[in-house]
Amino acid sequence: QDGDYVQHFVSVIGQKEYSLAELMSLLSLFHRPTFQKNYLSPKCRGLVESTIPDKPESPTQRYRLSL
């Protein structure tokens, strides 16, 4: 269910900033395309923001809750 993984993601990320690899590790996920589709998709855009929005592919990109 969509709400289940979004709720789990929000509870894991908390108030910190994480790289994509760190988030995947925290959630025990290994397939990057699926992670990006399910967790960084438009469904979660209102909840998650990137620290460098102008450079989505930046190696120093990090993600945090926007709440």
Side-chain angles (χ1 to χ4, degrees), residues 42-60:
K43 288 182 255 182
C44 294
R45 294 266 187 237
L47 298 174
V48 178
E49 63 186 9
S50 57
T51 57
I52 312 170
D54 297 340
K55 298 181 181 181
E57 300 298 320
S58 171
T60 59

Side-chain angles (χ1 to χ4, degrees), residues 17-24 35 59-63:
E17 294 179 356
Y18 296 98
S19 69
L20 189 69
E22 290 170 331
L23 285 173
M24 289 177 62
F35 173 76
T60 59
Q61 185 67 266
R62 298 180 74 74
Y63 299 91

Side-chain angles (χ1 to χ4, degrees), residues 2 4 7-9 11 13 15 22 24 27-28 30-32 36 38-39 45 48 51-52 55 57 59-60 63 65-66:
D2 287 349
D4 292 343
Q7 184 177 5
H8 179 64
F9 180 63
S11 69
I13 195 170
Q15 298 300 314
E22 290 170 331
M24 289 177 62
L27 296 165
S28 300
F30 305 101
H31 192 251
R32 184 181 178 133
Q36 289 176 305
N38 290 341
Y39 290 88
R45 294 266 187 237
V48 178
T51 57
I52 312 170
K55 298 181 181 181
E57 300 298 320
T60 59
Y63 299 91
L65 288 180
S66 60

